[in-house]
Amino acid sequence: MATAFAVVLPFSFLGIPSGHDFEFHMNSWMEVLGQWKLGIIYPRWAALAHYGYGEPRFIFYPPASWTLGAILGAILPWKLVPGTFVWLVLSLSGYSMFLLARGWLARRDAIFAATLYVANPYHLVVVYWRSAFAELLGGALLPLLLFYVLRVENGRQRVVLPISLIVAAAWLTNIPCAVMVNYSLAFLMVMVAIGRRSPRILWQGGLAVLLGAALSAFYILPVAYEKNWITIAQVLAPGVRPQDNFLFTLINDPDHNRFNLLVSVIAEAEIIVLAGAVFLSRRWRRSHTQVWWALIGWAAAATLLMFSFTFVAWQHLPELRYMQHPWRWLLCLNVALGLLITIAWRGWPLRLLVCIVMLAVLAVGWTRIQPPWWDTAADIAQLQQSQQNASGYEGTDEYTPAGADAYEIKLNARRVTFEGAGTARIHVRQWAPETKMFTAEVSQPGRLFLRLFNYPAWRVEVNGNAVLTKSQEVTGQMIVPVEAGENRVLITFTRTWDRTLGGIVSGATALFLVGLVALKRK
């Protein structure tokens, strides 16, 4: 906890690091809290995204990080929320690493390994340059994953449930981390099964993956089904594709290249230190052979996948490309790095020297390659004001409804605009995130253009009768046909069948596991 506090201490005098994903997360946290106050327990539609046209952000982005951020925003000033989030998540990472290390190391050594994992260079990159809060939260799961896989290796078989919970937590935290966790689990289980000559271990891993997916089905099923309703291809647009983000890769984007060089230099330094730790920890291998090889194998696989010669694997392995940035494998590499440094260098002066060297590399990147970006309390207040006055914020390309172009919308458009030969009197009665209610008294039949992106989950009723809507060409705005006279329009964001089925699968799986645990205890 003290180390995590030291990581966020510069926030108090340098400002709040405003990395690549900072505004995305802050706007999400603020909007979720706003919808909670309106009684919407599980938000689906981000009504203020795209400056009020909205997007189904909360269907597709996992709920763990935005739920935690909104909870912190409910009890703290918003300017303190990012630092508190980072401190809390890094502390959780330290706890999970301590649990892993304590199985083979003395208490002091386990504390050092946990501290090193908390403040490892890539975590600092995530905090100060990327603001990838969900990814940072996912990093707390990786030591737990290795901990329970190695319990299988030690002959303790009751690990399917905790591993399934870790897999479910990964899906609900960050999709790239979920892909990483599933591939890491498969790789580690294969290594353990080979070491113990026990194919049954593979069945346990497969069962844990299925149970974890079933537990998180309330999130996974809507994502899988409704992804065709958004421009999901943008998630692999140029600049965020794997082939653009291998170590030391250059593209036609100077800003991208500077950051990629920064993370590549840090990755190279970590790999060199890891190689030295592997060499010096060979004696420890004699008494912990299978654990040592699990660490080496996992770290080696993570290292190789960060280089461009593995592009074939990124092209053909299922869903691997959705990790986007190959250097995200540094999350896994740092689990092995923290343990192996602690094992290799028993003396505290040498450990301190290693830490100083890695911090020096980070400092060089900070000053010579790409300094972080900073926000102030006033910038956070401006984000909050944009939500309070309903002016909204910039949305995301990949969550924009299919057929809509967020770059062609009119920012000064009214909520409802009539198009037709006659006249119209429009009165908006309610314009909530998931419910829109207004009346339109028109003299001639016509169409109503809404400041709202069309999406299949919207149900539109005019005078109590369901009507079919259309999307305006280019912008993708919702168009509602109306007849002459008074038209009472009600628009609601409905629960589609995929969300209902996902909730049933998750609930049934949770009840089954609770009953199974209770039966075994009995």
Side-chain angles (χ1 to χ4, degrees):
M1 293 172 68
T3 304
F5 180 76
V7 170
V8 301
L9 184 60
F11 289 24
S12 61
F13 52 88
L14 291 177
I16 304 169
S18 180
H20 302 150
D21 298 342
F22 181 76
E23 290 190 2
F24 172 88
H25 286 289
M26 286 296 297
N27 283 319
S28 297
W29 300 348
M30 291 178 179
E31 179 149 9
V32 168
L33 180 58
Q35 294 198 28
W36 284 353
K37 293 178 179 179
L38 296 174
I40 303 172
I41 304 302
Y42 193 122
R44 301 287 186 174
W45 183 262
L48 296 175
H50 299 294
Y51 305 101
Y53 287 80
E55 67 181 20
R57 170 180 302 197
F58 303 122
I59 292 176
F60 295 94
Y61 203 84
S65 64
W66 51 255
T67 299
L68 178 57
I71 291 173
L72 294 175
I75 59 179
L76 295 171
W78 281 112
K79 63 182 180 180
L80 299 180
V81 170
T84 305
F85 186 103
V86 171
W87 172 80
L88 182 60
V89 170
L90 289 181
S91 296
L92 292 173
S93 298
Y95 299 154
S96 61
M97 187 63 173
F98 176 79
L99 180 65
L100 171 65
R102 192 66 182 94
W104 297 276
L105 301 175
R107 181 177 179 83
R108 286 189 175 184
D109 292 335
I111 291 175
F112 174 77
T115 301
L116 183 60
Y117 184 66
V118 165
N120 72 70
Y122 183 65
H123 273 175
L124 299 181
V125 169
V126 173
V127 171
Y128 282 95
W129 280 271
R130 301 195 58 230
S131 299
F133 296 111
E135 182 180 328
L136 192 68
L137 182 57
L141 299 173
L142 295 171
L144 294 178
L145 178 69
L146 183 59
F147 172 76
Y148 284 106
V149 169
L150 293 178
R151 290 191 69 181
V152 175
E153 184 267 337
N154 285 331
R156 303 169 188 172
Q157 302 298 321
R158 297 181 181 178
V159 297
V160 172
L161 177 58
I163 291 178
S164 67
L165 293 176
I166 293 169
V167 172
W171 280 116
L172 300 178
T173 299
N174 182 256
I175 287 183
C177 280
V179 174
M180 191 186 308
V181 163
N182 280 275
Y183 274 105
S184 295
L185 176 59
F187 180 79
L188 291 169
M189 283 294 191
V190 168
M191 290 195 68
V192 170
I194 293 173
R196 290 183 56 82
R197 299 178 183 178
S198 175
R200 184 184 175 186
I201 290 175
L202 300 180
W203 288 102
Q204 292 178 324
L207 180 58
V209 169
L210 292 176
L211 287 174
L215 282 171
S216 51
F218 73 92
Y219 164 74
I220 294 177
L221 279 180
V223 169
Y225 180 73
E226 298 184 29
K227 67 180 181 181
N228 295 323
W229 298 353
I230 59 173
T231 53
I232 192 63
Q234 292 297 321
V235 78
L236 293 173
V240 291
R241 302 172 299 180
Q243 60 264 40
D244 299 331
N245 291 282
F246 289 111
L247 298 188
F248 299 105
T249 296
L250 298 176
I251 63 173
N252 190 26
D253 185 343
D255 292 334
H256 170 279
N257 293 340
R258 278 194 297 271
F259 177 75
N260 189 266
L261 177 61
L262 169 73
V263 75
S264 298
V265 169
I266 290 171
E268 183 181 39
E270 290 195 9
I271 292 169
I272 292 172
V273 172
L274 177 66
V278 170
F279 179 78
L280 295 174
S281 63
R282 290 173 300 164
R283 291 184 179 179
W284 190 82
R285 177 187 62 181
R286 299 172 185 173
S287 56
H288 303 86
T289 302
Q290 292 182 343
V291 177
W292 191 82
W293 279 112
L295 291 170
I296 301 306
W298 197 19
T303 300
L304 293 176
L305 285 169
M306 289 187 281
F307 289 95
S308 58
F309 59 79
T310 62
F311 181 54
V312 174
W314 288 89
Q315 282 182 303
H316 298 289
L317 288 177
E319 312 304 329
L320 184 61
R321 63 187 181 278
Y322 286 108
M323 281 188 61
Q324 297 176 306
H325 309 299
W327 34 258
R328 275 180 163 143
W329 282 102
L330 284 168
L331 282 174
C332 296
L333 184 144
N334 277 304
V335 178
L337 182 67
L339 281 175
L340 290 173
I341 285 178
T342 307
I343 294 166
W345 288 284
R346 294 288 184 176
W348 290 96
L350 289 176
R351 289 176 176 176
L352 180 61
L353 179 61
V354 171
C355 293
I356 291 174
V357 167
M358 290 194 293
L359 286 175
V361 172
L362 191 70
V364 169
W366 184 308
T367 57
R368 299 290 184 179
I369 301 175
Q370 177 66 71
W373 308 269
W374 304 96
D375 275 353
T376 64
D379 297 316
I380 305 301
Q382 186 175 1
L383 292 179
Q384 187 177 7
Q385 184 179 5
S386 297
Q387 301 229 4
Q388 291 173 344
N389 61 22
S391 61
Y393 53 86
E394 185 178 4
T396 49
D397 293 339
E398 61 265 31
Y399 300 150
T400 304
D405 188 344
Y407 298 97
E408 297 294 331
I409 58 176
K410 295 180 179 179
L411 300 184
N412 60 348
R414 291 179 292 181
R415 288 175 172 173
V416 184
T417 304
F418 175 72
E419 182 184 87
T423 60
R425 295 176 59 187
I426 298 170
H427 178 61
V428 177
R429 299 181 181 274
Q430 184 181 8
W431 200 264
E434 296 188 355
T435 305
K436 322 287 183 184
M437 187 185 305
F438 58 89
T439 59
E441 188 175 342
V442 299
S443 59
Q444 298 290 334
R447 300 185 300 173
L448 300 176
F449 287 76
L450 274 61
R451 188 186 176 99
L452 178 69
F453 282 141
N454 207 359
Y455 191 73
W458 288 114
R459 175 182 171 83
V460 180
E461 296 179 2
V462 179
N463 295 327
N465 299 314
V467 299
L468 294 177
T469 61
K470 294 183 179 180
S471 299
Q472 185 182 23
E473 293 184 6
V474 181
T475 65
Q477 289 175 257
M478 181 185 291
I479 302 175
V480 180
V482 291
E483 299 294 334
E486 185 179 24
N487 297 270
R488 298 183 304 278
V489 182
L490 175 63
I491 304 173
T492 54
F493 199 77
T494 59
R495 174 177 289 275
T496 52
W497 70 266
D498 50 287
R499 293 178 223 159
T500 300
L501 179 60
I504 292 172
V505 172
S506 294
T509 305
L511 288 175
F512 169 75
L513 292 176
V514 169
L516 186 62
V517 170
L519 183 62
K520 284 189 174 183
R521 287 185 176 180
K522 195 171 183 179

